[in-house]
């Protein structure tokens, strides 16, 4: 059967459910010589972890189609801010911890279950079933010597391991991680971190002087100092930035 071209009028569109006519505008055009002036305010997608030295937002992309391991040598306050902000982006947050009482208020604020934040005993995190439509952040708050986790990083499932100080297992975890954050540490710890991460002397010598809320985030190629500034709601829930808990 041959198809014929037919343009329905407005009444026929409404009767058949074809749809309403949209507004009609003239085409927008740009001369080729002006293309170099065109720019779009698009940045990286992820969790805003703070601002850099220029005051620009620093973004951590935790929802990834590939496994992603993060190590934070720092305070619980920063890890909890990251958990809140990850949950705000739609990620489910699973916390593995031996101090569940420190996370109870966050679970209440975020909401528990499969759409919010859950807390599990050390070694008892069940499979999370992460997917592109339901990314997961696992936070391992397991002290100085975290055991090997039952739930590892996977596509759409990032794992953040929180270490309060440098420990004997820290160098191995740092070498395996894709991203390492370091807050204020002692001079001896700073020198060891500098050796493991290959930091210039000026950078690792600055680590003992970092203010509360400041983190040096390191990848294989880049390093960036970031100040995490809490919102009013985060301050009301967690208090002000602090390195010690």
């Amino acid at each position: 059967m041959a198809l014929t071209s037919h343009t329905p009028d407005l009444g026929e569109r409404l009767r058949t459910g074809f749809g309403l006519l949209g507004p009609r505008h003239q085409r927008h055009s740009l001369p080729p010589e002006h293309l170099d002036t065109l720019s779009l305010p698009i940045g990286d997608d992820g969790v805003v972890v703070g601002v850099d030295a220029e005051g620009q937002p620093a973004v951590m992309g935790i929802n990834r189609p590939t496994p992603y391991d993060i190590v934070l040598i720092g305070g619980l306050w920063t890890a909890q801010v990251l958990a809140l902000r990850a949950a705000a982006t739609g990620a489910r947050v699973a916390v593995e911890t031996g101090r569940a009482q420190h996370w109870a208020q966050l679970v209440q604020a975020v909401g528990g279950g499969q759409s919010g934040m859950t807390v599990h005993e050390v070694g008892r995190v069940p499979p999370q079933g992460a997917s592109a439509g339901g990314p997961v952040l696992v936070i391992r708050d397991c002290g100085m010597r975290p055991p090997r986790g039952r739930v590892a990083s996977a596509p759409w499932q990032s794992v953040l391991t929180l270490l309060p100080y440098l420990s004997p297992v820290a160098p191995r975890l740092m070498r395996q991680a894709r991203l390492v954050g370091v807050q204020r540490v002692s001079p001896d710890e700073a020198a060891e971190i500098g050796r493991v991460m290959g930091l210039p002397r000026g950078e690792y010598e600055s680590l003992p002087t970092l203010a509360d809320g400041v983190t040096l985030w390191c990848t294989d190629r880049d390093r960036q100092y970031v100040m995490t500034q809490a919102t009013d709601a985060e301050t009301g829930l967690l208090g002000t930035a602090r390195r010690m808990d």
Side-chain angles (χ1 to χ4, degrees):
M1 182 173 61
L3 296 178
T4 60
S5 176
H6 173 59
T7 303
D9 61 17
L10 178 59
E12 186 175 349
R13 283 173 176 264
L14 292 176
R15 287 194 302 272
T16 62
F18 188 79
L20 289 171
L21 288 171
R24 292 294 182 261
H25 299 289
Q26 293 182 344
R27 291 179 180 271
H28 295 285
S29 61
L30 187 71
E33 60 270 20
H34 292 172
L35 287 177
D36 290 339
T37 67
L38 183 65
S39 64
L40 299 175
I42 298 176
D44 292 334
D45 185 22
V47 175
V48 178
V49 297
V51 294
D52 62 18
E54 287 74 40
Q56 298 299 312
V59 179
M60 178 189 298
I62 60 171
N63 301 332
R64 296 169 177 262
T66 55
Y68 197 66
D69 285 287
I70 308 163
V71 170
L72 172 62
I73 302 173
L76 179 65
W77 184 90
T78 300
Q80 291 185 329
V81 170
L82 296 180
L84 284 173
R85 296 181 181 183
T89 67
R92 291 183 287 118
V93 180
V95 181
E96 180 182 7
T97 182
R99 46 179 179 175
Q101 70 276 9
H102 286 77
W103 292 88
Q105 193 173 7
L106 267 74
V107 175
Q108 184 177 4
V110 174
Q114 289 299 309
S115 60
M117 181 182 296
T118 54
V119 175
H120 309 272
E121 295 180 4
V122 176
R124 295 185 177 273
V125 181
Q128 295 299 302
S131 66
V136 174
L137 173 63
V138 178
I139 296 181
R140 306 199 69 214
D141 174 28
C142 305
M144 295 284 288
R145 295 174 178 265
R148 293 188 181 273
R150 291 179 56 190
V151 177
S153 61
W156 304 110
Q157 178 168 288
S158 297
V159 175
L160 185 152
T161 300
L162 174 65
L163 299 175
Y165 300 103
L166 196 68
S167 69
V169 302
R172 172 179 59 83
L173 295 174
M174 293 164 65
R175 293 187 185 101
Q176 293 174 347
R178 298 277 301 279
L179 179 67
V180 176
V182 184
Q183 297 188 316
R184 188 171 62 246
V185 292
S186 71
D188 288 343
E189 290 175 301
E192 177 64 11
I193 290 170
R195 185 188 67 80
V196 173
M197 299 297 297
L199 301 179
R201 181 171 183 173
E203 289 191 351
Y204 72 74
E205 287 185 343
S206 73
L207 295 177
T209 68
L210 295 183
D212 290 341
V214 176
T215 308
L216 175 62
W217 291 104
C218 308
T219 67
D220 291 340
R221 299 181 178 179
D222 300 306
R223 294 180 295 275
Q224 189 174 45
Y225 289 96
V226 174
M227 166 68 81
T228 301
Q229 299 172 319
T231 64
D232 291 341
E234 291 167 346
T235 299
L237 186 63
L238 301 174
T240 57
R242 57 193 180 276
R243 170 65 176 90
M244 302 292 293
D245 299 298

